[in-house]
Amino acid sequence: MLGKLALPAKRCYSRCTVFFVCVYVFYTAVIQALTMRFPTAFATLRQHHQRLWRGAMLSLCLLALLNLHPSKQYTLDEVLERGQLRVIGVAGPTTFLPHGDAGVRGLQYELLRQLADELNMSLVIEQAPNADAVISALKAGEADIGITGLVNDDPRLAKLLLSHPYLETRLQLIKHRQHTVSDEAKIAVSANSAEAQTVLHQQYGSVVEIRHATPDTLLSELNAGEVDYTVLTDSEFAARRMSFPDLTIKTELNNAQLSWAIRPRDKTLQRVANRFLDTATKDGTLKRLTAFYSQGNTFNSFGVMTFQKDIQQRLPLYQTQFKKQADKHDMDWRLLAAIAYQESKWDVAAVSPTGVTGIMMLTKSTAKEMGIANRNNPQQSILAGSAYYQRMIDKIPATVHEPDRTWMALAAYNMGYRHVLKARELTARYGDDPDKWLDVSRHLRQLPRSGQALVYVQEVRRYYDALLLEGNRHHWMASLDKKWVVAE
């Protein structure tokens, strides 16, 4: 366990105190015995005995104070004793998102869940409205690790510790496709940020600094024509461009890195985080998670325009049915809509080369199994598709928790449950975790048609996030309220 790497602070200081007392008692006894036996030889030493005694007592007092108030460099034991790794971050597509009523998904959630598992404790995530709130919470000792979304050279991070980078990224200058740029271009950035310094240094225009800005805030300002440009990392813009189809990249700026922020002076926790991230980098875990939660080429310029058009013209025709059937199976209607979009792009007349048809693209056998007569009828198709997905969910063992349960059910929906079962068996055989999608997906590649299923799961996840973004552009969860999410 990583937690065993650090000796608990109170235990350390207590042992030092006991050792010092024993040495002092032994020393005093020896001095008294020798003075009585050889009074002349030890006369000088006896004269200094009172001074040595006062020094010893002062040292004991200092050790006692340290025992009551351990150094902040050894606060990892506080985390271990608490049994919870407390994380605060800004919710979003590059960090963590709500998944169902109480679940969480996302790159940072997956990484931090693994770190908490290795420390043998639960993970507690608190959402914050912006990066400044994350920084304040860390400085106040209200959280152990912070997900700020700020690049490492941001001046606001100066008094915090940083982990090794978990992502290499680039800053991009973003513009509106149709707006004319004024002679004195205005560039929106977060106040006191590295982006503000970059823009000033490269002289792209006048800087408009917005306090407590989030990526959604900056993109909204640009989209509304309030400014001419904004600056974001490539990962943040890629994750949001499906909701801002008229925005595009003007130019690439400088390279940047993203890291976890750690409360001040907690160097032990910093070392543990660094070792974990180093291992995740070496064994490929970080690369696989980053790839799974990336946007890929799904929302290129054409994909963005098509998706927005379909949201406006096609989704309203079937949204009521998605909600009705999702409520029946206690699932998020946007997940059901995302499955349908991956299947047919919400086209009731869609037909695949293999003969599956309808908005949920059901085979004849599946339609019959689900008890519907006309798979081209959107209402019947959505009813059968949602029931079939629920059947896959029910087959996944109870030991598989969210969001892994969803990803495995989606793979089963696409290629059949027996293939997912086989992949789980292979995963266990090779010593990996059959309850984690990241491990199961690696072994799924050994099976026929696995490539199609893996792409399917990732695409549904991307559409699901995009639909969630449409209704939560300015706050992903109830971000103005403190709401703890506990992942055991």
Side-chain angles (χ1 to χ4, degrees), residues 150-265:
L150 304 179
V151 297
N152 286 1
D153 57 352
D154 194 292
R156 290 170 289 180
L157 298 174
K159 294 184 179 180
L160 299 176
L161 297 176
L162 297 178
S163 71
H164 290 168
Y166 63 77
L167 186 65
E168 301 286 339
T169 184
R170 286 186 66 87
L171 293 177
Q172 296 177 329
L173 190 66
I174 313 299
K175 69 172 186 177
H176 198 287
R177 296 178 187 275
Q178 301 172 0
H179 295 172
T180 302
V181 178
S182 59
D183 293 335
E184 184 64 24
K186 295 186 293 183
I187 307 174
V189 292
S190 184
N192 304 315
S193 64
E195 290 81 354
Q197 295 180 348
T198 298
V199 171
L200 286 171
H201 178 71
Q202 301 192 18
Q203 299 180 343
Y204 282 105
S206 62
V207 177
V208 179
E209 295 193 70
I210 302 176
R211 293 185 69 240
H212 307 313
T214 64
D216 302 287
T217 304
L218 297 173
L219 292 174
S220 295
E221 288 287 307
L222 177 58
N223 198 52
E226 299 295 328
V227 295
D228 300 298
Y229 302 108
T230 191
V231 179
L232 289 180
T233 63
D234 55 2
S235 55
E236 294 285 8
F237 180 55
R240 291 168 170 82
R241 67 182 303 178
M242 76 289 287
S243 289
F244 297 95
D246 294 324
L247 304 186
T248 189
I249 302 166
K250 175 177 173 58
T251 188
E252 301 277 351
L253 302 177
N254 51 293
N255 294 326
Q257 295 178 324
L258 298 176
S259 297
W260 291 339
I262 299 169
R263 57 184 180 178
R265 297 194 297 168

Side-chain angles (χ1 to χ4, degrees), residues 69-76 78 263-268:
H69 303 284
S71 167
K72 289 295 182 182
Q73 293 184 359
Y74 291 91
T75 49
L76 177 62
E78 298 174 13
R263 57 184 180 178
R265 297 194 297 168
D266 198 348
K267 293 185 178 180
T268 308

Side-chain angles (χ1 to χ4, degrees), residues 11-156:
R11 190 188 309 165
C12 177
Y13 288 120
S14 297
R15 288 177 179 176
C16 290
T17 303
V18 171
F19 175 76
F20 201 101
V21 169
C22 292
V23 170
Y24 178 73
V25 171
F26 177 74
Y27 160 79
T28 302
V30 170
I31 289 297
Q32 290 177 347
L34 291 175
T35 301
M36 293 177 64
R37 186 172 181 83
F38 307 104
T40 304
F42 286 89
T44 303
L45 184 60
R46 188 175 183 180
Q47 293 175 2
H48 295 286
H49 179 67
Q50 291 296 325
R51 187 184 303 170
L52 291 170
W53 182 83
R54 286 194 297 269
M57 290 305 297
L58 179 60
S59 298
L60 281 172
C61 290
L62 289 174
L63 283 171
L65 288 173
L66 287 172
N67 190 38
L68 293 173
H69 303 284
S71 167
K72 289 295 182 182
Q73 293 184 359
Y74 291 91
T75 49
L76 177 62
D77 67 293
E78 298 174 13
V79 181
L80 297 172
E81 290 175 6
R82 187 195 312 134
Q84 292 179 336
L85 180 65
R86 300 180 307 177
V87 176
I88 186 169
V90 182
T94 62
T95 55
F96 55 88
L97 294 172
H99 190 85
D101 293 334
V104 190
R105 70 179 184 276
L107 171 63
Q108 292 304 323
Y109 165 72
E110 297 282 5
L111 280 174
L112 289 160
R113 181 176 68 168
Q114 290 191 25
L115 174 59
D117 285 346
E118 293 198 26
L119 289 169
N120 195 28
M121 61 179 60
S122 60
L123 171 65
V124 180
I125 299 179
E126 182 185 1
Q127 58 190 332
N130 50 60
D132 297 305
V134 175
I135 293 169
S136 296
L138 289 171
K139 289 181 178 178
E142 296 171 357
D144 307 312
I145 294 177
I147 310 300
T148 65
L150 304 179
V151 297
N152 286 1
D153 57 352
D154 194 292
R156 290 170 289 180

Side-chain angles (χ1 to χ4, degrees), residues 173-411:
L173 190 66
I174 313 299
K175 69 172 186 177
H176 198 287
R177 296 178 187 275
Q178 301 172 0
H179 295 172
T180 302
V181 178
S182 59
D183 293 335
E184 184 64 24
K186 295 186 293 183
I187 307 174
V189 292
S190 184
N192 304 315
S193 64
E195 290 81 354
Q197 295 180 348
T198 298
V199 171
L200 286 171
H201 178 71
Q202 301 192 18
Q203 299 180 343
Y204 282 105
S206 62
V207 177
V208 179
E209 295 193 70
I210 302 176
R211 293 185 69 240
H212 307 313
T214 64
D216 302 287
T217 304
L218 297 173
L219 292 174
S220 295
E221 288 287 307
L222 177 58
N223 198 52
E226 299 295 328
V227 295
D228 300 298
Y229 302 108
T230 191
V231 179
L232 289 180
T233 63
D234 55 2
S235 55
E236 294 285 8
F237 180 55
R240 291 168 170 82
R241 67 182 303 178
M242 76 289 287
S243 289
F244 297 95
D246 294 324
L247 304 186
T248 189
I249 302 166
K250 175 177 173 58
T251 188
E252 301 277 351
L253 302 177
N254 51 293
N255 294 326
Q257 295 178 324
L258 298 176
S259 297
W260 291 339
I262 299 169
R263 57 184 180 178
R265 297 194 297 168
D266 198 348
K267 293 185 178 180
T268 308
L269 180 57
Q270 182 190 36
R271 287 194 293 270
V272 168
N274 287 342
R275 291 172 188 173
F276 170 78
L277 289 171
D278 290 347
T279 300
T281 300
K282 291 176 182 177
D283 66 16
T285 298
L286 185 56
K287 182 178 180 180
R288 292 193 298 274
L289 278 174
T290 302
F292 180 70
Y293 282 104
S294 71
Q295 296 303 314
N297 197 40
T298 301
F299 293 108
N300 55 26
S301 298
F302 177 75
V304 167
M305 296 295 184
T306 302
F307 183 70
Q308 282 296 324
K309 181 181 177 181
D310 291 338
I311 282 181
Q312 295 169 15
Q313 297 181 4
R314 293 182 176 179
L315 181 58
L317 301 176
Y318 314 113
Q319 186 167 329
T320 300
Q321 284 300 315
F322 287 138
K323 289 183 176 180
K324 178 180 178 181
Q325 297 304 322
D327 287 344
K328 184 184 299 185
H329 298 288
D330 195 26
M331 65 183 293
D332 190 335
W333 74 267
R334 288 162 295 200
L335 174 59
L336 183 57
I339 295 172
Y341 195 75
Q342 172 62 19
E343 293 286 357
S344 67
K345 300 298 184 285
W346 299 325
D347 180 5
V348 293
V351 180
S352 79
T354 58
V356 294
T357 184
I359 193 169
M360 300 300 291
M361 298 294 277
L362 303 173
T363 63
K364 289 182 179 180
S365 60
T366 300
K368 183 178 180 180
E369 184 181 352
M370 293 296 103
I372 65 167
N374 184 4
R375 54 191 173 140
N376 291 318
N377 179 289
Q379 182 174 343
Q380 292 187 32
S381 185
I382 294 171
L383 183 153
S386 62
Y388 187 71
Y389 174 78
Q390 185 60 48
R391 179 172 294 184
M392 297 302 103
I393 279 283
D394 292 341
K395 287 185 176 182
I396 304 298
T399 54
V400 181
H401 302 294
E402 293 291 2
D404 304 275
R405 194 175 188 83
T406 294
W407 311 143
M408 291 188 199
L410 287 173

Side-chain angles (χ1 to χ4, degrees), residues 432-443:
D432 293 323
D433 191 342
D435 293 340
K436 295 292 189 293
W437 171 247
L438 190 66
D439 289 347
V440 172
S441 62
R442 290 170 57 203
H443 298 282

